[in-house]
Amino acid sequence: MNVLLLGSGGREHALAWKLAQSPLLTKLYAAPGNPGIAEHAELAEIALSDHRAVIDFCLRHSIGFVVIGPEAPLVAGLGDNLRTMGIGVFGPSKAAAQLEGSKGFTKDLCARENIPTAGYVKVESRDGGLAALGDFTLPVVVKADGLAAGKGVTVAMTREEAEEAIRGIFAVPGGSAVIEEFLEGEEASLFVLTDGTNLLPFGSAQDHKRVGDGDTGSNTGGMGAYSPARVLTPELERQAIETIVRPTVEALARMGSPYSGVLYAGLMLTAAGPKLIEYNARFGDPECQVLMLRFEGDLLELMVATAKGALAGRADPAFSADTALTVVMAANGYPGTPESGGAIHGIAAAEATGAKIFHAGTRLDGDTLVASGGRVLTVTAKGDSVRAAQAAAYSAVDAIDFATGFCRRDIGWREVAREDAA
């Protein structure tokens, strides 16, 4: 089977690496890809917003299956257009992808289905948002309603911060926002494969959103992650699936918009049980990297079964008992304006330690690998404990020469502390 993978980040490099291991694969193409993905796939320069160009490429190259990595093409309906042409797709329809594309849509669905989540109000104007703040205690969460690349959320500790966030959202014409109560607890990410009816759990992880050590500084798209998130115990995972994920999938099916693909539930583990923070309609980044390092099955076969509605009766996917941990190496300036063009050396030396280096924002300048984005590399390693995986990942980080980059030095700190206390 010829497969086309869409995307260019660390998530897509991890998917390419795993897809390339499938016995079902004849040839893997990727668009637009990156230098790391090029080790596993033939790259094609296609704009993912140009659905006609994607379809034409699929027809010319006898593509039997398309894996859509990032959220924007899903929300724009690329999956629907490919399916119309008879091409298999891993990823939800435009209607189902509203779970990520519109926070207001998701919050309203939760309210109708009694799915545990934070109290909220949707606002459509700056003045309405400022007035609605009076209904919430501090801290309060302000979210841009649409896609924001993981950075459209402000946890405001003061009224002034909340007002600034609202003004920023409505400075853009057509903006809308969701204001939510602040949930106390620890966050975890749960991944579930669904064909619209059947569910298969696909691992857990814990992301680190803040740019600085100790969870300080601005929100980012993610500075690192580890899997599994043991704080999400088997009992809590079952509870989250039955009270949050399954009712969501069933509601979408009743609406005539069955969800097919991976559903990523961002959870807050509160004293009252798991509550939904938000949904993503694709694998997380950098969570995908740690999941792929632990996953022991045939990814392409499982994705095709998901797309064909054939998950009924399948055993849960097999994962390594080891912990996987990934550290994001970002360009100086991130999450603001990142410094582009910085040279990167030492990838081979880093992988010689046993780690896997997934490219996120890189390009080739002649023969030199250079930074071309905010998050540049995701350095990923396994170990029989979180501390061991952390040590292995940072050993690989230290083998990389990236003078214009930085990383957090404490990825996995919560679980390492729990291990040390045990």
Side-chain angles (χ1 to χ4, degrees), residues 39-299:
E39 297 174 9
H40 313 288
E42 181 178 318
L43 303 189
E45 278 295 330
I46 308 172
L48 303 193
S49 59
D50 188 343
H51 296 189
R52 182 72 257 173
V54 174
I55 291 169
D56 287 346
F57 182 90
C58 290
L59 297 177
R60 288 197 312 273
H61 292 85
S62 302
I63 301 297
F65 197 69
V66 177
V67 177
I68 303 177
E71 61 273 20
L74 294 167
V75 172
L78 177 57
D80 306 70
N81 293 335
L82 288 164
R83 290 184 183 96
T84 297
M85 300 302 297
I87 300 166
V89 180
F90 183 81
S93 66
K94 179 177 182 177
Q98 287 182 90
L99 284 179
E100 179 166 5
S102 171
K103 294 176 178 64
F105 171 86
T106 298
K107 298 298 285 192
D108 287 348
L109 185 150
C110 288
R112 289 195 305 273
E113 303 296 324
N114 296 314
I115 293 169
T117 188
Y120 75 103
V121 63
K122 291 194 302 183
V123 293
E124 304 294 335
S125 69
R126 183 194 67 179
D127 290 346
L130 295 175
L133 283 177
D135 297 331
F136 293 85
T137 58
L138 293 172
V140 64
V141 181
V142 180
K143 297 180 177 180
D145 188 38
L147 297 179
K151 294 178 279 187
V153 178
T154 298
V155 179
M157 306 307 291
T158 66
R159 172 79 183 219
E160 290 72 26
E161 283 183 84
E163 291 178 351
E164 182 182 355
I166 289 169
R167 290 191 181 98
I169 290 169
F170 289 103
V172 180
S176 60
V178 172
I179 302 173
E180 294 184 2
E181 69 170 325
F182 177 78
L183 295 176
E184 294 276 1
E186 190 167 338
E187 292 188 38
S189 302
L190 172 63
F191 298 85
V192 177
L193 298 179
T194 176
D195 57 13
T197 304
N198 306 287
L199 305 180
L200 281 182
F202 197 80
S204 65
Q206 190 169 76
D207 189 13
H208 298 61
K209 284 290 187 190
R210 299 284 187 170
V211 71
D213 286 6
D215 290 333
T216 57
S218 302
N219 265 339
T220 71
M223 293 300 294
Y226 66 93
S227 174
R230 291 187 175 85
V231 67
L232 186 66
T233 63
E235 179 183 353
L236 288 175
E237 180 176 306
R238 284 192 296 271
Q239 185 179 350
I241 288 174
E242 295 306 321
T243 64
I244 297 173
V245 180
R246 191 179 303 280
T248 300
V249 171
E250 291 175 349
L252 288 171
R254 287 197 308 272
M255 293 164 61
S257 306
Y259 191 103
S260 175
V262 62
L263 187 54
Y264 161 6
L267 305 174
M268 185 67 78
L269 306 181
T270 75
K275 293 190 176 185
L276 179 70
I277 301 171
E278 64 180 7
Y279 278 126
N280 290 322
R282 36 69 192 182
F283 284 110
D285 188 345
E287 295 96 333
C288 186
Q289 289 87 312
V290 288
L291 289 174
M292 291 304 118
L293 209 65
R294 294 183 58 233
F295 177 52
E296 296 181 332
D298 183 334
L299 181 64

